[in-house]
Amino acid sequence: MKPVMLLDRFYNKYIIKGTLVAETPIHIGAGEESLDPIQTDNSVIKDVNGKPYIPGSSIKGALRSYLETLLLSGVDQRFKACLIVNDPCLGDEDEVEKIKRIYQEEKRDRDLDLIVAEEIYRNLCDVCRIFGNPYFASKLKVDDCTLKGDAHLSIRDGVGIDRDTGTAADGKKYDFEQVDAGAQFEFCMSVDNLEPEHEELLKLMVKVLESGQLRVGGKTSVGLGCIRLIDTRAYKIEPTNFRSYLMEGLKEEMRWQYV
C-alpha cells in the first residue's frame, strides 16, 4: 500500500511569496456596524495600525472553492473533490464506522493514532488532503496579507434587495467602504508535506492567482474583489536543505520552478 504523507514528520515545504494587486476595488467587511451616524455603515477590515488587509482565510476559502468547482467539473480525472458542506468525502456512515472499529480492534497498538490517521487520509478527496476537513488538519496556510505602502479608501452606495420581489427594498439604502483598485499587499502561502502528484494542484492554484481570476471578499457579483499575484517567488524546502532554511532563511538555490 502506498505510504501517505501525514504531518507527523517533515517531508517537504512549499512556499509561495509575492505581491497581491487589487485589480478592482475590494470590500472585506469588518463585521461591525458603526453607531456613529457620520460613519459608513460597513467599513473594511483593518489591522491594529488602522490599515486595511486581506485575511488569509478569505484567500484560502476562495482558492478551495475554485479548485472544488474545477475538479468536480471533471477537467482532470486524476483528482477528486467533494462538496465539503453538503457532501463531504468522509461523510458516509460505513466509512466512519470502519474507523471506529479500528479503534476498538487495535486499541492496544501503540501506533493506533497513526493507523487511524492513515485510514482517514486515504478516504479523503484530493482537495481535503490539502485544505483539510473536520477529520484532518490543513496542509495549506495563507498568511494575512498586509498592505504595502498606502491605499485609498472610498465610500460606495448600496441598495438592499427584497428577496420576494427582486426589487429594491424600501428604506434599505446603505453605504460601504472599499479599498480602491491599485492597492498592493504582501502575499505568503505555504504547504507542508505535499504529495508529489499534488504539485500539479499547487501549480494550478499559483496560476489562478497570477491570472487575476480569483475574487475575494463581498460584492463580487458587482465586480469587486478581483486580485492578481505578481512578482511570484516559489520555493521548495526538502530534508537536504531544511537545516539551511532554518538557519539562514530562503535562498535562491531553494527556488521551485513551478512553470
Side-chain angles (χ1 to χ4, degrees):
M1 187 178 292
K2 178 186 173 182
V4 297
M5 289 186 178
L6 300 178
L7 298 171
D8 58 323
R9 65 185 65 183
F10 177 80
Y11 294 98
N12 58 56
K13 186 180 187 72
Y14 295 77
I15 299 174
I16 313 296
K17 299 176 76 70
T19 299
L20 280 182
V21 179
E23 297 280 281
T24 63
I26 298 175
H27 173 77
I28 300 179
E32 299 176 354
E33 292 189 359
S34 175
L35 298 178
D36 188 339
I38 67 171
Q39 295 297 318
T40 182
D41 296 319
N42 194 349
S43 61
V44 297
I45 192 168
K46 299 180 179 71
D47 61 21
V48 294
N49 297 314
K51 292 187 175 183
Y53 71 97
I54 303 176
S57 57
S58 294
I59 298 173
K60 184 178 176 182
L63 279 173
R64 178 175 194 144
S65 179
Y66 190 99
L67 202 58
E68 285 176 349
T69 301
L70 204 61
L71 296 183
L72 286 170
S73 67
V75 297
D76 194 329
Q77 297 295 330
R78 294 174 298 170
F79 304 113
K80 302 298 180 184
C82 73
L83 292 172
I84 188 64
V85 176
N86 300 323
D87 189 19
C89 52
L90 198 57
D92 187 273
E93 289 186 9
D94 291 338
E95 294 172 349
V96 175
E97 286 300 320
K98 181 180 178 181
I99 292 171
K100 289 180 179 178
R101 284 198 300 274
I102 293 176
Y103 266 117
Q104 296 169 354
E105 295 170 3
E106 304 186 46
K107 58 185 177 182
R108 295 181 182 178
D109 194 313
R110 63 186 179 88
D111 294 324
L112 177 58
D113 287 339
L114 184 60
I115 293 171
V116 173
E118 289 178 347
E119 183 63 29
I120 289 173
Y121 191 80
R122 289 191 176 96
N123 281 279
L124 298 180
C125 70
D126 295 286
V127 175
C128 285
R129 288 185 179 187
I130 298 173
F131 286 86
N133 74 355
Y135 300 95
F136 189 80
S138 174
K139 291 184 174 183
L140 183 143
K141 175 186 176 184
V142 182
D143 292 348
D144 289 343
C145 302
T146 55
L147 184 68
K148 296 177 66 174
D150 296 319
H152 185 264
L153 303 180
S154 60
I155 306 299
R156 184 166 174 172
D157 290 330
V159 177
I161 299 298
D162 188 304
R163 299 300 178 186
D164 295 324
T165 66
T167 59
D170 290 339
K172 294 297 183 180
K173 187 179 182 300
Y174 63 94
D175 55 28
F176 61 90
E177 191 175 36
Q178 65 182 24
V179 181
D180 288 349
Q184 296 189 356
F185 302 84
E186 294 281 358
F187 177 80
C188 182
M189 177 173 73
S190 62
V191 189
D192 294 314
N193 292 351
L194 191 69
E195 303 276 358
E197 61 269 26
H198 288 161
E199 273 195 355
E200 292 301 313
L201 295 180
L202 180 56
K203 292 176 184 178
L204 178 60
M205 285 187 274
V206 174
K207 288 301 183 182
V208 168
L209 284 163
E210 291 178 329
S211 72
Q213 297 181 44
L214 203 69
R215 295 179 182 270
V216 296
K219 317 296 181 183
T220 57
S221 63
V222 293
L224 273 63
C226 185
I227 55 175
R228 181 188 297 274
L229 180 64
I230 63 171
D231 300 330
T232 311
R233 305 180 305 282
Y235 304 86
K236 182 178 181 180
I237 315 302
E238 299 178 282
T240 53
N241 59 13
F242 183 63
R243 179 178 174 81
S244 175
Y245 164 67
L246 288 180
M247 301 299 291
E248 303 174 46
L250 295 171
K251 303 166 80 172
E252 277 299 309
E253 54 264 34
M254 300 173 186
R255 282 291 187 105
W256 176 48
Q257 300 302 319
Y258 62 93
V259 179

